[in-house]
Structures are given as structure tokens and as C-alpha cells.
């Protein structure tokens, strides 16, 4: 008997292909590969899921084998024919760990899938058992998160979305930019207070990053790049759908 644990993901090129197909079919696009993967796994029709070309990396196994280290279990998983991420090392000390994390921080966009960091694990299985786990995560593993990638673009306009409860959410329409491996053209501003806090105007140059490498957000505007053609953002006093007073 064996229990395998891993992570299912979607490659960047498959994500782009799926969104092109969805656009041609006139259905809403997926926001990012992570959401597309999670949504795919909830579909009951396996033929539809199979077309999404989802991938897997196995990173842990529980089996009746007399292994003493996590590294040995990864080799065992490979021998069984399961995919194991090739971009890992057995580090001798914490300096090697830091050096390896910094290497991939610079090279992460070269990978065919999105990552927001590295996972650092204790190698000894005895130490893993001694350290144990909390209700949410193991104490013998920690995530090294990369700083979010930031790019500058133009705020072209503001679109107002009306939620199911009637709440109005302003959405920034951006000049499309490549960010974290995907093309970004929209960012939620959450509410009108956020627009005031950021002192935003239409046609402002803005700094954008992906929160947790997933959700695009505007970090700040760059007022020194204004040329006088910027426009004030008008907060609506009526609902854009039913024209009811707000």
C-alpha cells in the first residue's frame, strides 16, 4: 500500500490555449492558471478535464519502505514512474538553501508554469516526525516566498461592476502588460476609498503587481509622470445597471 501527495498545475502555454478557445466560444476567460486548474478539478465530466492537459508533481509518499530521508522517498517516487519536480537539491547547509532560492527568484519566469516561491524541507524523516504538524501545515517545511514582480503601465479607464448583493466594485482597465507569465489588462480596486487612497486619475502611470503571484493589483500611481492630460475619476451616484440612486 502507498499514499502519494502532490500538486496539480497548469502550464502557461496550456492556459493561453484554453483562454483562446473560451474567447472564440464567447464564454468568460479564466483569470489565471491556478483558478483554471482548481475549476477544472471540480468538473464531473472527465472528458472535459482531460482536454485541459493538467500536470502533476508528486512531492511526498507514505509507504512500507525503510527509508530514513525525504530525499530517498523522492527517488523512490521517480522509480515508480511518477513525475517529481526536477528543480530540487539536497542542501548541506542553510547557505546552499538561500543561494538556490535566490537563483530561482531570478529565473522563475523561465519555467513553463507559475511559481511564487520555493519549499524548504527537513530531510530526516525521524526529525519530521519529531517536529510534527499543526492543524494546517507541517512544522518541518517552510515556504520561501519571492518578492512580487512589479511593472509600470497606464490606467486607461475604470469599469464599474455590480455584484449580486448590489455592491459596486471599480475595476481598473489597464494597458495590457506581461506580468508573472500572463497578460494582465484588469485589476480590482476593491472600492472607491481605494481610488482616493491611491490618488488615481484616468491615464495615470501606475505600478502593478500580482498579490501572491495570482491577483493583479495597483500598488501606487506615479504622479511625476503626469503630463496634464489625466482625468478625474467620477464616483457614480446611480447604479450603472438599473439606474437606482446609490
Amino acid at each position: 500500500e502507498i499514499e502519494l501527495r502532490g500538486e496539480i498545475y497548469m502550464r502557461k502555454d496550456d492556459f493561453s490555449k484554453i483562454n483562446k478557445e473560451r474567447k472564440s466560444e464567447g464564454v468568460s476567460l479564466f483569470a489565471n492558471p491556478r483558478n483554471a486548474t482548481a475549476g477544472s478539478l471540480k468538473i464531473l465530466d472527465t472528458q472535459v478535464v482531460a482536454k485541459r492537459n493538467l500536470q502533476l508533481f508528486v512531492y511526498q509518499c507514505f509507504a512500507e519502505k525503510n527509508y530514513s530521508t525525504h530525499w530517498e522517498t523522492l527517488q523512490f517516487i521517480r522509480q515508480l514512474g511518477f513525475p517529481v519536480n526536477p528543480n530540487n537539491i539536497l542542501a548541506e547547509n542553510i547557505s546552499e538553501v538561500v543561494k538556490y532560492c535566490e537563483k530561482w527568484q531570478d529565473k522563475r519566469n523561465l519555467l513553463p508554469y507559475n511559481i511564487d516561491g520555493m519549499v524548504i524541507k527537513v530531510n530526516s524523516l525521524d526529525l519530521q516526525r519529531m517536529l510534527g504538524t499543526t492543524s494546517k501545515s507541517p512544522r518541518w517545511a517552510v515556504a520561501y516566498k519571492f518578492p512580487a514582480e512589479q511593472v509600470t503601465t497606464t490606467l486607461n479607464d475604470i469599469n464599474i461592476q455590480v455584484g449580486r448583493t448590489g455592491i459596486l466594485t471599480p475595476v481598473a482597465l489597464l494597458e495590457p502588460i506581461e506580468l508573472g507569465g500572463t497578460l494582465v489588462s484588469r485589476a480590482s480596486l476593491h472600492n472607491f476609498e481605494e481610488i482616493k487612497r491611491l490618488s488615481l486619475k484616468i491615464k495615470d502611470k501606475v505600478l502593478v503587481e500580482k498579490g501572491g503571484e495570482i491577483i493583479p493589483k495597483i500598488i501606487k500611481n506615479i504622479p511625476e509622470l503626469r503630463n496634464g492630460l489625466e482625468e478625474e475619476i467620477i464616483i457614480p451616484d446611480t447604479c450603472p445597471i438599473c439606474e437606482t440612486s446609490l
Side-chain angles (χ1 to χ4, degrees):
E1 291 186 356
I2 187 170
E3 177 185 329
L4 297 174
R5 297 184 185 181
E7 184 166 13
I8 298 172
Y9 67 97
M10 183 180 289
R11 292 166 55 100
K12 296 174 187 174
D13 54 354
D14 289 322
F15 173 71
S16 298
K17 180 182 175 183
I18 290 169
N19 262 352
K20 285 178 182 176
E21 292 173 354
R22 292 176 71 85
K23 188 175 182 179
S24 65
E25 294 167 3
V27 296
S28 60
L29 304 185
F30 287 123
N32 51 66
R34 192 181 194 174
N35 284 7
T37 302
S40 299
L41 291 173
K42 294 176 183 176
I43 297 173
L44 299 180
D45 188 338
T46 54
Q47 289 185 331
V48 174
V49 180
K51 292 178 182 177
R52 300 278 170 89
N53 200 30
L54 299 178
Q55 308 291 318
L56 168 73
F57 280 136
V58 178
Y59 53 67
Q60 193 176 9
C61 83
F62 301 89
E64 294 179 2
K65 289 279 184 180
N66 192 26
Y67 291 131
S68 60
T69 67
H70 187 79
W71 189 256
E72 289 174 313
T73 64
L74 291 181
Q75 312 318 310
F76 174 58
I77 294 169
R78 279 199 182 96
Q79 290 169 14
L80 293 177
F82 289 97
V84 175
N85 195 317
N87 299 310
N88 54 32
I89 62 164
L90 179 59
E92 293 294 326
N93 51 58
I94 195 64
S95 297
E96 281 189 29
V97 172
V98 172
K99 188 176 179 180
Y100 196 68
C101 289
E102 289 176 343
K103 168 189 169 183
W104 279 108
Q105 184 171 310
D106 297 332
K107 293 175 60 178
R108 57 179 156 162
N109 287 336
L110 299 178
L111 292 169
Y113 49 86
N114 293 331
I115 64 170
D116 64 354
M118 310 286 284
V119 178
I120 303 162
K121 298 178 180 178
V122 171
N123 191 34
S124 165
L125 296 183
D126 283 341
L127 288 177
Q128 285 188 12
R129 284 186 283 269
M130 287 173 62
L131 288 164
T133 64
T134 68
S135 59
K136 293 184 178 180
S137 59
R139 291 193 181 94
W140 45 265
V142 66
Y144 177 97
K145 294 293 186 181
F146 298 144
E149 182 185 353
Q150 297 181 339
V151 294
T152 301
T153 188
T154 303
L155 173 59
N156 286 331
D157 205 352
I158 297 290
N159 184 33
I160 308 297
Q161 288 186 345
V162 183
R164 61 180 179 81
T165 60
I167 292 176
L168 269 59
T169 303
V171 177
L173 304 182
L174 307 168
E175 191 68 31
I177 43 160
E178 187 80 17
L179 180 61
T182 57
L183 195 65
V184 170
S185 59
R186 298 160 67 91
S188 174
L189 288 166
H190 306 295
N191 50 54
F192 294 104
E193 284 74 19
E194 182 76 352
I195 292 176
K196 290 179 181 177
R197 186 183 72 80
L198 294 169
S199 301
L200 291 177
K201 293 184 177 182
I202 304 297
K203 300 302 179 184
D204 263 345
K205 295 293 183 184
V206 293
L207 195 64
V208 180
E209 74 173 28
K210 279 188 176 181
E213 293 291 312
I214 299 297
I215 308 299
K217 62 180 180 181
I218 294 176
I219 301 302
K220 65 175 183 176
N221 77 348
I222 310 174
E224 57 268 28
L225 296 180
R226 285 177 175 168
N227 57 15
L229 300 177
E230 294 76 19
E231 305 169 19
E232 294 290 339
I233 296 172
I234 307 300
I235 300 176
D237 53 13
T238 59
C239 173
I241 302 298
C242 65
E243 299 183 356
T244 303
S245 294
L246 297 174

